[in-house]
Amino acid sequence: MDRKLLEQDVLTVAPLLLGWHLRRTFADGSQATVRIVEVEAYRQNDAASHSYRGKTPRTEVMFGPAGFLYVYFTYGMHYCCNVVTGPVGEGAAVLIRAVEPVAGQEILQAHRHMAGVEITNGPAKLCQALTINRQLNGHNLADAPLELLPGTLQPNEQIMTSPRIGIKQATDKPWRFYIAGNPYVSGPKNPVDKSLS
DNA sequence: TGCCTGATGTTCT
DNA sequence: GAACATCAGGCAC
C-alpha cells in the first residue's frame, strides 16, 4: 500500500482506488480478496461528511493518517467502511460502496447467505460479506487481517462519476466514482453520470 | 419489476 | 429526541 498516494486530496484518491484490492484474513485463517469497483469521496468541508462538524469520538479516525480504516454503524443495523485519506488533521475519507469478488467467493457467499452480485453490491453488504465491524475501526490497511493492495483497471474499463447516493446534504457534488458497466456497481446508472476520460 | 416501509441503535443537537 | 453515507421483504401494478 502506498501511503503517500493516499495522502493526496480525497477527490484525487477516490478514483485511484478503483481497481485496487482488499484482502481479508478471517479468524479461521481463510482468505478472500475483492476488487474495489465503486467509491464515494467525503471531505471535511462537505456537509454530507461525518467530519463536517469537526472531530468527535466517532470521527476521530477520519482525522488520523491516511491508509487507515474508518468503520461506522448506521441505520441501527449496518456497517459501512471508509479508507482514510489526506494529511493528518484533515477529516477526509473514501467510502467503499461496492466490490467485486476476486478470490474466496464461496466464503463471502456463506457470510451473506446468498450468491450473485447481491453479495457485495452495497456498502453494508460488502461489510457483512467481509465481516467488517467496529472492531476494525482504526485498523491500519497495510496489515492483516485487512490489507489494501494496489491494483489497476483493465484497458477496456472506464471510470464514471455521478452524484452520491443515500445522502441528504451536498447532493449536487458528483463525488461518486465507479467502473462503468461493472455488474457489482450499486445504485442508478443514470443519465447524469459522466465519463472522467 | 419497482416502489414503500419496517427494522434497529449510535450519534449529535 | 431526531436524524441517519442502508437493506430486504412485501405488496401493488
Side-chain angles (χ1 to χ4, degrees), chain A residues 51-100:
Chain A
S51 60
Y52 182 62
R53 295 173 199 283
K55 194 195 282 190
T56 68
R58 176 172 67 149
T59 61
E60 194 175 3
V61 175
M62 283 184 83
F63 291 83
F68 281 68
L69 192 70
Y70 168 50
V71 180
Y72 66 88
F73 194 71
T74 190
Y75 292 104
M77 38 195 335
H78 299 296
Y79 291 102
C80 298
C81 65
N82 301 244
V83 176
V84 176
T85 69
V88 173
E90 188 180 307
V94 176
L95 169 70
I96 300 176
R97 282 198 59 88
V99 299
E100 174 183 32

Side-chain angles (χ1 to χ4, degrees), chain A residues 9-130:
Chain A
D9 185 272
V10 65
L11 289 181
T12 304
V13 176
L16 285 180
L17 287 180
L18 294 175
W20 283 40
H21 292 82
L22 279 172
R23 185 167 63 205
R24 176 75 164 109
T25 305
F26 297 100
D28 64 357
S30 61
Q31 285 191 333
T33 304
V34 298
R35 186 164 176 264
I36 299 171
V37 299
E38 181 183 354
V39 299
E40 285 179 5
Y42 288 87
R43 54 170 25 162
Q44 193 170 347
N45 61 353
D46 166 13
S49 172
H50 286 175
S51 60
Y52 182 62
R53 295 173 199 283
K55 194 195 282 190
T56 68
R58 176 172 67 149
T59 61
E60 194 175 3
V61 175
M62 283 184 83
F63 291 83
F68 281 68
L69 192 70
Y70 168 50
V71 180
Y72 66 88
F73 194 71
T74 190
Y75 292 104
M77 38 195 335
H78 299 296
Y79 291 102
C80 298
C81 65
N82 301 244
V83 176
V84 176
T85 69
V88 173
E90 188 180 307
V94 176
L95 169 70
I96 300 176
R97 282 198 59 88
V99 299
E100 174 183 32
V102 174
Q105 186 161 3
E106 65 286 348
I107 302 171
L108 307 179
Q109 289 175 359
H111 288 161
R112 293 278 296 137
H113 310 292
M114 62 174 75
V117 301
E118 296 280 314
I119 60 175
T120 54
N121 69 343
K125 297 178 188 180
L126 70 92
C127 284
Q128 185 183 358
L130 293 171

